[in-house]
Amino acid sequence: MSAKSYVNETLDLIKRVSSRQPIFLQCATEVLKSITPLLDLNKQYEEHAVLQRMVMPERTIIFRVVYIDDKGHAQTHFGYRVQFSSVLGPYKGGLRFHPSVNLDILKFLAFEQIFKNSLTGLHIGGGKGGANFDPKGKSDAEIMRFCQAFMSELSKHIGYSTDVPAGDIGVGAREIGYMFGAYKKITSKFDGTLTGKAINWGGSLVRKEATGYGAVYFANEILKDNKDSFEGKTCVVSGSGNVAIYTIEKLHQYGAKVVAISDSDGYVYDKDGIDLELLKDIKEVRRLRVSDYANEKKGAVYISKVNYEKGTNGVWSVPCDCAFPSATQNELSLEDAKNLHKNGCKLIAEGANMPCTLEAQKFILDSGIFYAPAKAANAGGVATSGLEMQQNANMTSWTFEEVDQKLHAIMKDIYTRTSETAKEFGFENNLVAGANIAGFKKVADAMIEQGYI
Ligand code: NDP
Ligand code: 2IT
C-alpha cells in the first residue's frame, strides 16, 4: 500500500484501541504524517510492521500510590510508568507529578521521548511516568511521603540498565532526592538508576540548566545559519519552572531581553527584563507564584488568566522577536500563533513537549517563522541525563565546562542532522520533518535489525 495509506491505517489502529487518548493521537499524527516520504522510499518498514509495533508501548505499568497527609488521612493516587521503547537503550524519560496526569498524556510523552532520545545520539530508549498528584501546596513531609510511596512500587520496574527515570513537571531535585533515597533503601543499591540527582551524590553538573540552555543553543544555531544572533532580541518565555528559568539565563548571557514569563494562573510583563536572581529566589527557594514576582519587582505587571481572550494564552499576546513555550502541551493555539506572527515574532523554540497545537504548528511552518520543534530543541535535558549516566557508570564527575561543552556539541549536532535531513527529503527549513525522519529512522532500522520482539 502507499505510505499515506499505511500511515492512515496505523492512525486508525490508534483510534480504535486508544479511543480516549486524543493527546497521544495528536503526537502520533504529527510524527507519522511527517515520515511519509521516508516510508515511500523504504517499503521494508511496512513489510516488518514497524509502525504498528512502534505505536504500541512495550509495557505499561499502572499502580496505586497511598500516602498519609499531614492531617493523618490516607490519600490515593494513580502511579504510572510507560516503557515505550527499549530499542536504542534502557527506557529513559522523566516523571511528571501533576493533577492532569493520565495514561494519554504519559503515552504521548513517552512516544515523543523515543525520537528525542534517538536524536541525541546516545543509547537511550523512550519512557515516561508520573502520578496524578499535585505537589502544589503540599508540605515537605507530604512530598517526601508521597515520593517514598511512589517509589515503593516503581522500584520493582526500574534499574540503571533497564529504566532510568528523571524529572519533569512537578519533579525537580527535591523529589529526585526523596525517590533516590527510597530506591536505595528498598533495593540496597547505590547506582545511576535516577538522573537529575544532587551533585554531591552522583548528579551531573549542568543537568539542572540543560534543557533551557540546550533550547537556546539549538535556536542560536538557526539564527547563526541565517546570519543573525540573540543580541538585542526581545523574548517571551512561558512557564516559570526549571526549563523556563534556564532558558532565560542563557538568553541573558547571549544578550537578549526576556520581557514575559507565566504560570498556570497568569503572566507577568516586565518591560525592563526579568530579574533572574529574584525569579530564582521566588521559584526555586520560596516556591511562590509569578504574581509574587510582580508584587516584588518594580515596574512588572501581572495579568491573571481570567483576563485572557477566549482560546488564547495571554503570554503570547506580548510582542517579541523570539518565543520559547516552556510550560506544557497545547499551550500555544492557532490564535496565539497568529498573534505572535502579527506582532513580528521571527522564531519559536519549544522548551516544553508539544506546546503547539497541530493547527498552530501548521500555521507557524507556513508563515515562515523559524520553528525549533520540541523533540530537537528540548533534547538537551535528556542528553545531559545520558551524560550523568555515563559519569555514574565510570564513577567519575566532569566539570561544569566539560558537561556544558558536550551539551553544546550535542545540540549543534541535532541541529545539523535535523536541518540536513529536512533538506534531503525536500522540506528545507521544516525541522519538524527533519527531526521526525532522523529520529524515526534510527529506531525503525534498529527494530528491524533486532527482529520481532
Ligand atoms: P516545572 O514543574 O519546573 O515547571 C512547569 C511550569 O509550567 C510552571 O511554571 C507551571 O505553572 C507551568 N505549567 C505546568 N502545567 C501547566 C498547565 N497545565 N497550564 C499552564 N502552565 C502550566 O517543569 P519543567 O520546567 O521541568 O517542564 C516544563 C516543560 O518542559 C514540560 O512540558 C516538560 O515536559 C518539558 N521538558 C522538561 C525537561 C526537564 O528537563 N525538566 C526536559 C524536556 C522537556 P504552575 O506552577 O502554575 O503549574
Ligand atoms: O521531556 C524530557 O525530555 C524530560 N523530562 C527529561 C527526561 C530525562 O530523562 O532527563
Side-chain angles (χ1 to χ4, degrees), residues 27-35 111-112 115 375 436 440:
C27 174
T29 302
E30 183 217 281
V31 173
L32 298 197
K33 292 219 160 160
S34 67
I35 57 164
F111 189 68
E112 182 81 358
F115 310 104
K375 62 174 74 61
N436 284 333
F440 170 88

Side-chain angles (χ1 to χ4, degrees), residues 96 98 100 109 116 128 136 167-171 207 211 239-244 262-265 283 289 326-329 351-353 378 381-382:
R96 178 176 291 193
H98 192 273
S100 64
L109 289 165
K116 182 195 305 193
K128 203 86 182 192
K136 252 185 243 130
D168 194 79
I169 291 176
V171 176
R207 176 60 190 90
T211 311
S240 46
N242 172 266
V243 178
S262 65
D263 60 26
S264 56
D265 296 325
K283 294 301 303 179
R289 314 292 298 153
S326 307
T328 193
Q329 66 275 0
N353 286 306
N378 75 32
V382 74

Side-chain angles (χ1 to χ4, degrees), residues 216-233:
V216 179
Y217 290 150
F218 189 91
N220 193 44
E221 291 303 304
I222 301 182
L223 292 180
K224 263 176 33 197
D225 238 5
N226 290 278
K227 317 249 168 316
D228 204 348
S229 78
F230 276 114
E231 190 63 47
K233 294 271 189 297

